[in-house]
Amino acid sequence: MGTPRDTRTDQAAEVVDRLEAEYPDSTISLRYENRLELLIAVILSAQCTDERVNSETEHLFSKYDTPEAYANAPQEELAEDLNSITYYNNKAKYIRNACQTIVEEHDGAVPDTMDELTELSGVGRKTANVVLQHGHDVVEGIVVDTHVKRLSRRLGLTEENRPDAIEADLMELVPDGYWQQFTHLCIDHGRAVCSARNPECSACVLADICPSEKGDSEVDLASGDPW
Ligand code: SF4
């Protein structure tokens, strides 16, 4: 078991420092060329890999290039165009409804506030944070996905379970200016080393400060279960 820094604030700063050195080019892995494409890609990425989304959006973005095009697309046709994505029927509905709102209430532009974004169909706080950060350069919160949740709990930064509560904890701890990057660093480290089922603690740059480290710790703080 590693020994965390004395305070959670120091622990968060140390985690950011070390992961930044490890993943200097860490960034979003979804492909998009404008705010609408970003919004669509993030809606599609819920419980689906970015790789799968990128392969599907390649043809999707050449077929539909305005909010009107999505809003006016027949449900069955749009769903069929998304059929390699998890929950494609529901996601097609969300996208058509969200684009209808964008056309009717926002003059065809993807909104730039948390309130307006989260009023769109299929858009929760996580999706809105990604769109604000990468589409509008507005950093209002911290995106908490499955990797951020797992790593934050394993590293002793939070004991919360709900993404909103985890985000609130992290906003108290993660240094200003790193809120956006923190997510990408956790995602890269989660994919490369700290996987859900079999983290490679012996190869981890955070091992000596991680209270879940498998060498000595008996418990995975992400789940609260024994390793
Ligand atoms: S890989 Fe192991 S040591 Fe590293 S952060 Fe994950 S649980 Fe902790």
Side-chain angles (χ1 to χ4, degrees):
M1 171 175 165
T3 306
R5 293 290 184 251
D6 286 346
T7 67
R8 283 185 174 181
T9 308
D10 290 349
Q11 176 80 343
E14 186 67 25
V15 167
V16 167
D17 268 4
R18 292 192 191 187
L19 292 185
E20 271 229 311
E22 198 70 4
Y23 310 100
D25 303 320
S26 191
T27 188
I28 189 168
S29 53
L30 291 171
R31 286 200 217 106
Y32 60 93
E33 288 188 1
N34 54 53
R35 289 169 184 154
L36 178 65
E37 290 185 0
L38 173 62
L39 174 67
I40 305 293
V42 184
I43 291 175
L44 293 178
S45 72
Q47 296 178 49
C48 190
T49 65
D50 290 355
E51 203 179 356
R52 163 67 53 198
V53 172
N54 286 338
S55 102
E56 196 72 309
T57 53
E58 215 169 304
H59 68 83
L60 191 75
F61 291 162
S62 60
K63 179 168 175 182
Y64 304 90
D65 58 358
T66 60
E68 289 84 355
Y70 288 106
N72 296 331
Q75 165 67 22
E76 277 182 18
E77 186 175 339
L78 183 56
E80 194 51 37
D81 286 329
L82 302 174
N83 69 6
S84 75
I85 303 273
T86 47
Y87 308 116
Y88 60 91
N89 265 316
N90 281 340
K91 289 177 181 175
K93 271 185 221 149
Y94 293 149
I95 289 171
R96 290 172 70 243
N97 290 337
C99 285
Q100 201 167 350
T101 307
I102 288 173
V103 171
E104 289 171 1
E105 295 177 23
H106 302 286
D107 291 333
V110 175
D112 62 357
T113 66
M114 178 64 78
D115 285 348
E116 289 171 320
L117 279 165
T118 51
E119 273 168 20
L120 299 176
S121 166
V123 178
R125 191 171 163 95
K126 182 179 85 169
T127 299
N129 264 325
V130 179
V131 172
L132 285 174
Q133 291 179 8
H134 292 277
H136 295 286
D137 281 329
V138 173
V139 181
E140 222 176 87
I142 296 177
V143 176
V144 177
D145 77 341
T146 181
H147 297 285
V148 175
K149 176 179 177 181
R150 185 175 70 254
L151 268 73
S152 299
R153 287 178 55 89
R154 278 183 177 161
L155 288 161
L157 297 175
T158 184
E159 289 166 16
E160 298 288 352
N161 257 311
R162 286 184 306 106
D164 286 4
I166 293 173
E167 183 185 2
D169 273 358
L170 292 176
M171 285 164 70
E172 297 283 324
L173 303 174
V174 175
D176 288 349
Y178 289 93
W179 287 13
Q180 181 169 329
Q181 206 54 10
F182 182 78
T183 299
H184 300 309
L185 293 171
C186 286
I187 292 172
D188 279 358
H189 196 56
R191 285 178 178 154
V193 180
C194 190
S195 63
R197 296 224 174 116
N198 195 20
E200 293 180 67
C201 298
S202 57
C204 178
V205 293
L206 303 173
D208 63 306
I209 58 165
C210 176
S212 299
E213 194 267 326
K214 278 198 290 187
D216 300 307
S217 173
E218 292 178 0
V219 176
D220 173 6
L221 292 176
S223 62
D225 295 333
W227 285 115

